[in-house]
Amino acid sequence: MSRIENQRAVIDRRALAGAITDAVAAEGPARARPRVVELLREALAGGRAEIARRLAARPSAGHDSAEAQAFLVDQLIRVIHDHVTADLYPAPNRTSGERLTIMAVGGYGRGEMAPHSDVDVAFITPSKQTAWCEQVIEAMLYFLWDLGLKVGHSSRSLDDVVRMAKGDLTIRTALLEGRYVWGDQALFDEAQRRFWAEVVAGTERQFVSEKLGERNDRHKRLGDSRYVVEPNVKEGKGGLRDLHTLYWIGKYIHHVRDVSELVDVGLLTGSEYRAFRRAENFFWAVRCHLHTITRRAEDRLTFDLQREVAARMQFADRPGQSSVERFMQYFFLQAKRVGHLTGLFLAQLDEQSGKKAPRGLLAGFRARRRSLKGYVIYGGKINVPSDDWFTQDPVRLIEIFALADAQHLEVHPEALRCALRDARAVDAVREDPRANALFLDLLTSRNDPETVLRWFNEVGVFGRFIPDFGRVNAQMQFDMYHHYTVDEHTIRAVGLMARIEKGEMKGEHPLATGIVHKIQHRRVLYVSILLHDIAKGRRGDHSVLGAEVALKLCPRLGLSEEETRLVSWLVGQHLLMSAVAFKRDLADWKTITDFVAQVQSVERLRLLAMLTIVDIRAVGPGVWNGWKRQLIHELYDAAEERLRLGHVQHGREQRVAAKQAQVAERLGKAKGLVAKYAKQFNDAYWIAEPDDIVAMNLTQLDRAKGAALDVHCEYYAARGATLVTVIAADHPGLFYRIAGGIHLAGGNIIDARIHTTRGGMAVDNFLVQDPLGRPFSEDSQLARIRTMIEDALANRVKLVSQLAARPNARPRADAFDVRPSVEVDNSASNRFTVVEINARDRPALLSRLARALFEAKLMVHSAHIATYGERAVDTFYVTDLLGEKVDAVARLRTVEKKLLEAADEETVEVAV
């Protein structure tokens, strides 16, 4: 810690000790305690303020800040120890048992702390604690607690330290970084000697195995990717703890005292050590800023904190990329570097220790050294024969990964190091046909393209060979929808497609599994997945810009003119299918007609469907669900039928008759209900609703027997949601009141269809999920939904005030600015005006919008709700009170104004 500049500006131990001595001399040890605590608090606050000032002046100096914080705590502990042993419990003639050493352990032992890190200390005595030792330890702890420090402490004898470290990995790791702070130096030295001789010796292999297992468990707990968009700086994959794990392993095996010594023992090269320190310094700076901003031990870089840390670390906006996106891109580049370092380090360790003898039928074949196209194959790894192998022929930078995939091999750490060092050489062969053919083989591999493409990316060759891909490397999107960076999302999507093609995801993706082997342009599919987000982070529509990139890049990759046009179309339209499926009424004839007019062929439909599925699925866990699958399948089936037959299979009357026959079959003995109620509903009802829902509606309608209100709720497994059907006497405002009741019960409406019988009864079907996208299925939940709808319709609750008081289920959405917008489309449907509202997602947004439409004297016929993280897109199919489209310009402007006011979070609602 000698590197800390002007240490006395952080804390002047001599002056602090003198002030405490004066206070004790003036008032006596016991009565001086409040003054001593006050002096210590002033020193701690002054030190923290000075460290924070230095961090603000040099916002990227992470190591300096972390080391200064540990130095500040060291000095406070030394002053407290001296005060306690000299003034409170002086023992001039101590016995051999009355000895005490204070050891910093864990991160504090490493000499690195964030402003609100735990202070982990071990009080060590020679044998069983004496009364004097107990008094000193207790008094010291009370002083530390009075300072508001979170202290992790243990009090043990030397024998206890050894015994407990042998049996507990956490204790062993903490002691591994043990550092002398104060007290009996000889006792500390003895503890260290016994730790290395009695605990560590002979357990190296076990420690490495347990530490890597612990690391894998931690990654799974926190999101098993270093590209999670709200990363944990300390515990997340590619973060500080991964770097510490490398150091712990190196220290345990080779007894290194400093990270730099990992170079001396051959586990890191000089450039890798510098990358290690650079990443560690950056992560420490981020962590210190997080603690300073929140004034607590906060290690998660949440959306709301990302902006502030980016500003503190002086990242600025650039065209097409905000300051926070640039900051997070740099963060992920460092995490990616850490991941690569970890792989190299562990592979090198593996080489040093020598793997266990391979077993099995192919053991001898895999273990025997052989040659393949000049490469050395040994132990299941492919290596380069010489240090200049890649510079001799840069095409080999791609060939080695293609061979690794084709032969099911890992790439040797030495080869990875050479590839990382020589990545620039690939620039010269970007136009080389052999290089591009090898890359296309790798991308379209039937083995495991995801894993090998990730290696290819981590050594930096991918981004240099495809510079457009390099631009989105570690590119995050500042929103709550996308869970991964663009490059990671793309590689995951390629991997998903490969797994679907191998039939591994038939249960989750039956549609894609069923059509993947029918496509005629397999290369087009994989290249379009690679390029679909390639233009993210540029000014303009990334779909349009990506289509332009495809026109230039595909010929270079060896695709024909027809394939190039097809890839360009897919990239340009890759959001089309999800937009139509999630935001339009699929029962509306015009929806399918317009979609088919853009798709034009069954081959393009199949390719677009598969691209859409893997794109949504690779966004992150929980984004793809049963409801989205159902909508995509419905749209695909309707479009495929229209494209195959060239027209609607049946006329309107025949379609209604066919649906009624299906419902009758489903109802069985109760099939007479179809004839009983057939004339009560118009044709639109029979066409819009699926046969199972119609059967449920007719059963409920018959059971209600003309009651003023009947509410039915049930778990609807086919859609991954809860079906809520409300039958009531139709009246203006019914829809917004039902929506309000569902929201008060904690439900989110994802789809709604509103129908009115010729007898004036409303039959409204809602699909509902909880705020996390799960269906309600417990009886108590369903009963609550029923009760809240009944109360809302009977005016037993004040909807407006109660909805306004509901907490936001996604409070982190507050970090984002989503400007409300309204789009009116009179061409999307022959019968209805389609109104689409974009706004920030929050409780009861749908209810507010529905109320605004009611006040504008419009009738809602169906509603379709899609959420993209913090952004909601609510689409309504509406008519005026006479059932006509709304086309008067003045009226449309009034509707737009009312909807914008409802969507605006600044608008204060007044109960009416």
Side-chain angles (χ1 to χ4, degrees):
M1 291 195 192
S2 57
R3 293 179 303 171
I4 299 166
E5 296 175 10
N6 193 5
Q7 295 180 353
R8 287 185 181 171
V10 175
I11 182 170
D12 188 334
R13 178 160 63 95
R14 198 170 297 171
L16 176 60
I20 290 174
T21 301
D22 292 345
V24 171
E27 301 181 60
R31 295 184 65 184
R33 193 178 196 288
R35 175 62 183 151
V36 172
V37 171
E38 184 185 345
L39 288 166
L40 290 168
R41 280 181 179 154
E42 287 173 359
L44 175 61
R48 280 179 170 169
E50 173 61 19
I51 295 167
R53 186 195 64 76
R54 293 182 182 190
L55 184 63
R58 296 176 58 218
S60 297
H63 282 132
D64 291 352
S65 187
E67 289 167 6
Q69 191 68 40
F71 168 74
L72 172 62
V73 174
D74 278 357
Q75 299 294 59
L76 287 169
I77 287 177
R78 289 165 183 163
V79 168
I80 291 168
H81 172 273
D82 291 351
H83 166 59
V84 170
T85 54
D87 300 326
L88 297 180
Y89 300 105
N93 299 310
R94 291 187 214 165
T95 64
S96 60
E98 291 178 326
R99 295 157 61 210
L100 176 68
T101 192
I102 302 165
M103 180 192 291
V105 294
Y108 176 40
R110 204 168 44 250
E112 297 171 328
M113 297 177 77
H116 295 279
S117 291
D118 293 1
V119 178
D120 294 326
V121 288
F123 297 97
I124 300 175
T125 54
S127 54
K128 188 180 177 185
Q129 282 182 18
T130 64
W132 178 83
C133 289
E134 286 181 3
Q135 288 173 324
V136 170
I137 293 167
E138 185 179 1
M140 287 189 67
L141 286 172
Y142 273 111
F143 274 115
L144 292 170
W145 290 330
D146 284 343
L147 293 181
L149 296 172
K150 190 177 177 187
V151 184
H153 65 95
S154 61
S155 308
R156 298 192 180 104
S157 68
L158 274 176
D159 288 344
D160 286 342
V161 167
V162 171
R163 179 176 54 80
M164 297 183 80
K166 281 181 177 179
D168 190 304
L169 180 68
T170 305
I171 294 173
R172 206 181 320 165
T173 307
L175 290 171
L176 183 63
E177 298 193 289
R179 177 174 61 84
Y180 172 73
V181 177
W182 216 231
D184 194 306
Q185 176 80 56
L187 183 58
F188 171 83
D189 293 342
E190 175 66 8
Q192 286 282 285
R193 185 192 65 76
R194 289 190 62 183
F195 173 73
W196 288 105
E198 298 176 35
V199 177
V200 174
T203 64
E204 290 84 357
R205 189 183 288 275
Q206 176 204 1
F207 179 82
V208 172
S209 173
E210 289 180 358
K211 217 65 203 152
L212 294 179
E214 185 184 74
R215 182 189 71 134
N216 293 338
D217 291 343
R218 174 166 45 83
H219 289 168
K220 283 174 186 167
R221 192 176 70 250
L222 293 167
D224 195 14
S225 170
R226 67 186 66 100
Y227 305 104
V228 177
V229 291
E230 286 188 301
N232 187 306
V233 184
K234 179 184 174 186
E235 303 282 357
K237 193 169 186 177
L240 280 168
R241 183 63 83 230
D242 279 5
L243 288 171
H244 298 158
T245 300
L246 301 191
Y247 175 53
W248 292 333
I249 291 171
K251 184 164 190 171
Y252 206 91
I253 293 171
H254 293 289
H255 300 198
V256 300
R257 291 162 299 175
D258 184 75
V259 179
S260 61
E261 293 180 13
L262 293 173
V263 178
D264 301 332
V265 298
L267 288 173
L268 293 177
T269 64
S271 64
E272 287 162 0
Y273 162 70
R274 288 189 292 276
F276 183 112
R277 290 291 286 172
R278 201 160 43 242
E280 188 180 43
N281 182 61
F282 175 74
F283 289 141
W284 267 116
V286 172
R287 192 173 177 216
C288 288
H289 284 298
L290 284 172
H291 282 220
T292 304
I293 292 164
T294 60
R295 298 182 181 178
R296 65 176 187 272
E298 178 58 78
D299 296 323
R300 193 171 173 212
L301 197 50
T302 54
F303 291 122
D304 53 330
L305 293 170
Q306 287 172 15
R307 278 189 201 278
E308 197 165 344
V309 177
R312 280 170 168 258
M313 295 189 73
Q314 299 175 357
F315 282 80
D317 291 346
R318 290 283 185 273
Q321 224 183 346
S322 67
S323 59
V324 69
E325 287 173 336
R326 290 187 64 240
F327 161 64
M328 291 306 296
Q329 184 170 26
Y330 189 78
F331 182 97
F332 290 124
L333 285 169
Q334 294 303 320
K336 174 184 165 186
R337 193 76 181 91
V338 171
H340 185 60
L341 280 174
T342 303
L344 290 176
F345 179 96
L346 296 177
Q348 191 65 44
L349 192 68
D350 204 31
E351 289 292 309
Q352 285 186 3
S353 62
K355 293 193 83 167
K356 291 179 181 177
R359 297 175 181 176
L361 189 65
L362 298 174
F365 176 74
R366 286 179 68 82
R368 194 172 63 248
R369 190 178 295 273
R370 61 192 175 97
S371 179
L372 174 67
K373 294 191 175 182
Y375 294 90
V376 177
I377 313 292
Y378 180 72
K381 294 187 176 75
I382 183 168
N383 199 1
V384 293
S386 63
D387 192 56
D388 61 349
W389 181 253
F390 293 130
T391 51
Q392 286 177 25
D393 180 4
V395 173
R396 291 167 176 165
L397 283 162
I398 302 160
E399 182 182 54
I400 188 171
F401 292 99
L403 287 172
D405 176 73
Q407 300 289 323
H408 305 282
L409 299 166
E410 292 178 36
V411 181
H412 192 282
E414 284 302 322
L416 289 172
R417 280 180 169 138
C418 291
L420 182 69
R421 183 196 64 206
D422 298 334
R424 289 177 182 273
V426 86
D427 297 0
V429 295
R430 284 179 191 149
E431 303 296 329
D432 186 293
R434 188 164 63 98
N436 283 283
L438 283 167
F439 173 75
L440 203 54
D441 287 346
L442 177 56
L443 176 65
T444 60
S445 163
R446 297 181 189 273
N447 296 323
D448 184 12
E450 180 178 356
T451 299
V452 184
L453 283 172
R454 196 169 278 116
W455 297 340
F456 191 53
N457 190 33
E458 289 187 345
V459 294
V461 180
F462 199 161
R464 295 204 73 93
F465 186 64
I466 311 284
D468 289 295
F469 190 78
R471 288 179 68 171
V472 295
N473 219 308
Q475 167 80 50
M476 67 103 48
Q477 296 153 88
F478 190 60
D479 60 41
M480 286 171 62
Y481 179 62
H482 296 92
H483 292 232
Y484 304 114
T485 55
V486 177
D487 55 328
E488 175 68 6
H489 162 74
T490 302
I491 291 170
R492 281 173 178 257
V494 170
L496 280 164
M497 195 66 256
R499 289 172 63 198
I500 288 169
E501 195 174 12
K502 285 189 275 189
E504 293 175 7
M505 306 190 79
K506 190 173 183 179
E508 293 172 85
H509 297 292
L511 173 64
T513 304
I515 62 177
V516 68
H517 297 294
K518 295 178 181 178
I519 60 165
Q520 298 156 20
H521 297 87
R522 185 174 177 273
R523 297 197 311 179
V524 164
L525 176 60
Y526 279 89
V527 175
S528 66
I529 295 170
L530 170 68
L531 301 183
H532 77 279
D533 277 348
I534 200 90
K536 282 265 175 89
R538 306 186 192 187
R539 279 188 285 193
D541 185 330
H542 79 279
S543 301
V544 175
L545 296 172
E548 293 171 5
V549 170
L551 292 174
K552 294 175 185 173
L553 184 61
C554 290
R556 196 197 103 183
L557 293 176
L559 269 61
S560 68
E561 193 177 330
E562 181 198 358
E563 288 175 312
T564 297
R565 283 199 305 271
L566 192 45
V567 171
S568 181
W569 181 84
L570 284 165
V571 173
Q573 300 295 333
H574 75 273
L575 299 175
L576 172 65
M577 193 167 195
S578 57
V580 173
F582 305 155
K583 297 191 283 186
R584 291 293 178 264
D585 189 342
L586 301 183
D588 191 304
W589 182 85
K590 187 77 160 44
T591 299
I592 308 303
T593 301
D594 291 348
F595 178 67
V596 165
Q598 288 185 271
V599 175
Q600 296 180 352
S601 75
V602 173
E603 175 72 358
R604 294 215 304 194
L605 175 65
R606 287 171 179 160
L607 291 166
L608 182 60
M610 286 185 290
L611 174 56
T612 301
I613 289 166
V614 296
D615 184 20
I616 298 170
R617 179 69 194 268
V619 164
V623 174
W624 178 262
N625 55 33
W627 172 236
K628 288 179 178 171
R629 177 172 57 225
Q630 182 72 26
L631 292 174
I632 294 291
H633 285 208
E634 276 184 33
L635 177 56
Y636 178 87
D637 290 342
E640 199 252 2
E641 179 186 76
R642 193 82 64 88
L643 285 163
R644 198 162 34 83
L645 300 171
H647 56 82
V648 184
Q649 192 170 12
H650 306 292
R652 194 174 185 84
E653 287 181 19
Q654 291 96 320
R655 292 174 73 194
V656 170
K659 179 67 66 67
Q660 290 176 349
Q662 290 169 343
V663 174
E665 186 180 344
R666 186 176 280 276
L667 285 168
K669 291 179 182 178
K671 63 183 178 182
L673 293 177
V674 175
K676 182 176 179 180
Y677 292 104
K679 290 190 167 45
Q680 286 285 324
F681 292 97
N682 58 24
D683 290 352
Y685 170 81
W686 295 101
I687 292 169
E689 295 290 6
D691 60 304
D692 54 345
I693 287 184
V694 174
M696 286 188 261
N697 287 173
L698 298 185
T699 304
Q700 184 182 347
L701 192 61
D702 196 57
R703 189 182 62 236
K705 292 185 170 54
L709 175 65
D710 189 273
V711 182
H712 176 72
C713 305
E714 71 173 76
Y715 168 48
Y716 190 20
R719 315 278 170 153
T722 300
L723 175 67
V724 178
T725 301
V726 180
I727 297 177
D730 198 12
H731 62 271
L734 180 69
F735 174 62
Y736 95 77
R737 289 186 179 281
I738 295 171
I742 291 171
H743 286 307
L744 281 181
N748 277 354
I749 297 166
I750 59 170
D751 202 72
R753 293 189 191 282
I754 289 83
H755 310 283
T756 306
T757 67
R758 291 190 168 93
M761 294 297 288
V763 180
D764 296 350
N765 292 312
F766 298 84
L767 286 176
V768 178
Q769 293 176 335
D770 71 11
L772 298 177
R774 301 170 305 195
F776 295 100
S777 54
E778 294 178 16
D779 290 343
S780 60
Q781 294 174 322
L782 302 179
R784 177 170 169 76
I785 293 172
R786 280 195 299 271
T787 302
M788 294 312 299
I789 291 172
E790 289 165 0
D791 287 351
L793 291 177
N795 279 327
R796 287 194 288 267
V797 290
K798 292 182 178 178
L799 266 183
V800 173
S801 56
Q802 288 205 23
L803 287 171
R806 276 194 68 80
N808 193 344
R810 299 180 171 195
R812 291 178 299 131
D814 293 343
F816 304 93
D817 178 29
V818 181
R819 195 164 295 175
S821 65
V822 176
E823 288 182 29
V824 179
D825 189 346
N826 264 315
S827 63
S829 171
N830 290 333
R831 294 182 56 220
F832 306 111
T833 295
V834 179
V835 182
E836 183 180 300
I837 301 100
N838 277 261
R840 187 159 72 172
D841 190 25
R842 62 189 189 281
L845 173 65
L846 178 67
S847 180
R848 287 181 69 161
L849 296 172
R851 182 166 167 235
L853 291 169
F854 157 67
E855 289 171 352
K857 295 183 171 53
L858 296 179
M859 292 175 64
V860 177
H861 294 268
S862 71
H864 312 276
I865 293 84
T867 53
Y868 303 89
E870 74 284 355
R871 185 169 59 91
V873 183
D874 291 2
T875 306
F876 299 92
Y877 280 63
V878 301
T879 62
D880 63 18
L881 297 179
L882 298 174
E884 300 295 328
K885 278 188 178 186
V886 184
D887 48 19
V889 175
R891 186 164 188 200
L892 287 174
R893 282 185 184 149
T894 303
V895 170
E896 184 177 345
K897 184 171 180 288
K898 281 186 175 294
L899 287 169
L900 284 173
E901 285 173 358
D904 186 3
E905 295 170 72
E906 302 301 318
T907 305
V908 178
E909 289 212 345
V910 180
V912 291

